[in-house]
Amino acid sequence: MGVVIDGEKVNLKLPTYEEAIKNRVLVLVNGKYLHTVFGTGAEPFVENGRTMIPLRAIADAFGFEVDWEQSEEKIILTKDDKTIILHMGEPEILVDGETVYFEDAVPMIKNSRTFLPVGKIAEILGVQVEWDGETRTATFIAE
């Protein structure tokens, strides 16, 4: 099956229904599902027991501006007076000038997309996240 994304035809290998249900991960933010398009490589996933979500989608959902510095593989997220700086594959994060650490999972690139671990991002944003293993849904809840 093929679709057109940004003017280019992309061939998709669609999983069976059983595979899709078994492997899908849903993310709810403020009662709305995080917008990701299946087959684009930007779908949330679980790796080594950690739920990984696409940076761009979660930044948009929480109203952050995203800047990428290729030479340093550095991402800068800004919103109002909050600044978050992180590097691909590195456990250190600067949050408003203070160093905090990712534990067990670090920012990573997969399918040319940047992914972040849900739990640490929720902590940095000051929100709770709950995981429902039965529906494979991560829900962000404002504290």
Side-chain angles (χ1 to χ4, degrees):
M1 174 179 195
V3 295
V4 176
I5 299 175
D6 294 332
E8 292 185 34
K9 184 175 180 182
V10 177
N11 289 321
L12 300 176
K13 179 185 177 286
L14 297 177
T16 65
Y17 173 79
E18 291 78 17
E19 290 171 329
I21 293 301
K22 177 183 167 204
N23 295 319
R24 70 143 191 214
V25 174
L26 301 173
V27 179
L28 280 169
V29 178
N30 299 325
K32 296 181 181 177
Y33 286 101
L34 192 67
H35 180 69
T36 59
V37 177
F38 179 80
T40 62
E43 305 88 4
F45 62 94
V46 175
E47 183 167 292
N48 298 325
R50 300 285 181 220
T51 303
M52 303 295 286
I53 55 176
L55 167 71
R56 176 60 68 181
I58 201 68
D60 289 349
F62 283 99
F64 278 84
E65 188 173 307
V66 179
D67 288 312
W68 167 252
E69 292 185 13
Q70 176 69 37
S71 63
E72 297 182 47
E73 291 194 323
K74 177 168 75 172
I75 297 168
I76 304 168
L77 302 170
T78 53
K79 177 183 176 184
D80 303 325
D81 59 347
K82 187 167 209 67
T83 301
I84 302 166
I85 300 173
L86 40 97
H87 292 83
M88 290 298 95
E90 298 295 327
E92 299 88 14
I93 315 159
L94 277 176
V95 180
D96 298 330
E98 305 245 345
T99 302
V100 295
Y101 295 91
F102 283 107
E103 298 153 10
D104 303 323
V106 295
M108 64 183 287
I109 295 175
K110 179 178 177 182
N111 301 322
S112 301
R113 308 278 195 293
T114 302
F115 288 86
L116 305 173
V118 166
K120 185 52 90 172
I121 291 306
E123 180 183 319
I124 290 169
L125 297 176
V127 297
Q128 265 189 313
V129 68
E130 293 180 355
W131 174 252
D132 181 335
E134 188 173 317
T135 64
R136 296 178 55 86
T137 302
T139 303
F140 285 88
I141 302 165
E143 295 181 316

